[in-house]
Amino acid sequence: MTDRAYRRSIKLHSFEDFAGMRAAGQLAAATLDMITAHVRAGITTAELDRLCHEFVRDHGGTPASLGYRGYAHATCISINHVVCHGIPGERRLMEGDILNIDLAVIVDGWHGDSSRMYAVGKIGRRAERLIDVAYEAMMRGIGAIRPGATVGDIGFAMQAYVEAERFNVVRDFCGHGLGRVYHDAPDVPNYGRPGDGPELRPGMFLTVEPMVNAGRPDVKILNDGWTAVTRDRSLSAQFEHSVGVTETGCEIFTLSPANLTKPPYPPAG
Ligand code: MF3
Ligand code: CO
């Protein structure tokens, strides 16, 4: 094995490491729960970001994206045709918007990475269906995870389902290994063929984070160097969980403590 291949090899973690990932994953998920009640028409994405940042800090974590490759925010907030890496700012949410809030936290050195879709007021039927399909794609990808399956099996489960629903998966961004490192080997593409790619083994930690476009799969990056949008300006949706491969399947580290999955979320209280 070359030096480079060795550094990129997929880490196998211990039982104790699962406890670290559970703590980090649960803080990411609790933050995404907390922000739900704030997602309303009129709030800016910078305000949502600040609320997430303060919650993470007040609960013993650090946002992993702060300072990552020069990124200066705790979250990425991607509205409507923004596919991912939307930068929080002065944009105010409007009735009918759909948005993804993506948050990664570090707790005791472990990374918990998760994102969910949110809806502002009443949204369109197509937006609703896109969100449902993105959520189901993530859950089907996670459902393919067990020892002996491959990374390609995950991508295949997501792509086959999404295309049967007449939407498209994004090729330009992938899920990833994580653990003590934010973005580690392997890449976890949102597409694939059964049996392709590295074999999954107990102790691997991965994210599953399908991006689903209502139109063509193509994206472009805006001049800010971050914001990825659909080239055809169609709507895009994404969900993300962090998981660990177990002897029998996988454990989802970022399940919502409040049992929130996808919109519509029940009123808080
Ligand atoms: N959280 C994203 C992911 O799911 C990556 C965001 S890039 C960052 O992997 F710079 F904002 F951190
Ligand atoms: Co991720």
Side-chain angles (χ1 to χ4, degrees):
M1 197 190 286
T2 66
D3 207 43
R4 184 181 164 79
Y6 176 75
R7 281 202 307 273
R8 287 292 292 169
S9 69
I10 305 173
K11 295 179 188 72
L12 299 179
H13 298 88
S14 71
F15 185 77
E16 294 78 58
D17 299 342
F18 274 73
M21 288 298 283
R22 224 168 270 144
Q26 285 300 291
L27 177 55
T31 310
L32 294 178
D33 285 355
M34 174 282 298
I35 205 65
T36 308
H38 298 279
V39 175
R40 308 182 69 138
I43 195 166
T44 66
T45 54
E47 286 166 334
L48 293 172
D49 181 76
R50 181 180 54 80
L51 289 165
C52 288
H53 190 166
E54 286 171 3
F55 188 91
V56 169
R57 196 194 51 205
D58 292 349
H59 290 80
T62 317
S65 60
L66 266 188
Y68 179 84
R69 296 181 182 219
Y71 196 75
H73 305 272
T75 62
C76 296
I77 303 185
S78 303
I79 305 175
N80 296 337
H81 71 292
V82 179
V83 174
C84 64
H85 302 166
I87 303 174
E90 297 316 305
R91 163 75 149 89
R92 289 184 192 279
L93 298 186
M94 296 188 301
E95 173 90 11
D97 283 340
I98 62 168
L99 60 147
N100 174 277
I101 303 181
D102 189 331
L103 170 71
V105 306
I106 310 172
V107 176
D108 289 335
W110 295 101
H111 288 75
D113 188 5
S114 188
S115 82
R116 293 181 204 156
M117 294 302 295
Y118 299 82
V120 184
K122 176 128 184 71
I123 62 172
R125 294 270 296 277
R126 193 167 169 79
E128 254 173 41
R129 199 169 73 82
L130 183 68
I131 290 171
D132 288 349
V133 168
Y135 181 78
E136 177 66 18
M138 174 183 69
M139 295 314 284
R140 287 185 184 219
I142 292 170
I145 297 177
R146 59 186 161 70
T150 70
V151 167
D153 294 339
I154 302 172
F156 176 75
M158 299 197 286
Q159 181 183 14
Y161 168 71
V162 167
E163 291 177 359
E165 294 291 330
R166 301 270 171 217
F167 292 141
N168 282 295
V169 293
V170 170
R171 274 71 165 167
D172 303 63
F173 299 97
C174 297
H176 49 92
L178 81 172
R180 291 204 175 274
V181 173
Y182 183 8
H183 291 125
D184 207 349
D187 282 340
V188 182
N190 304 316
Y191 58 90
R193 289 187 306 192
D196 274 5
E199 188 172 313
L200 302 176
R201 297 172 62 187
M204 290 180 178
F205 296 159
L206 312 167
T207 71
V208 178
E209 47 178 308
M211 297 164 195
V212 179
N213 293 352
R216 301 298 308 154
D218 314 78
V219 310
K220 69 173 182 197
I221 311 289
L222 299 186
N223 287 334
D224 60 25
W226 284 102
T227 311
V229 300
T230 55
R231 275 193 177 274
D232 62 7
R233 297 188 68 87
S234 63
L235 290 176
S236 189
Q238 180 184 26
F239 287 86
E240 175 177 20
H241 272 316
S242 297
V243 310
V245 183
T246 63
E247 296 294 334
T248 53
C250 73
E251 173 177 346
I252 304 176
F253 297 125
T254 46
L255 283 178
S256 160
N259 275 310
L260 303 181
T261 53
K262 62 181 171 91
Y265 299 117

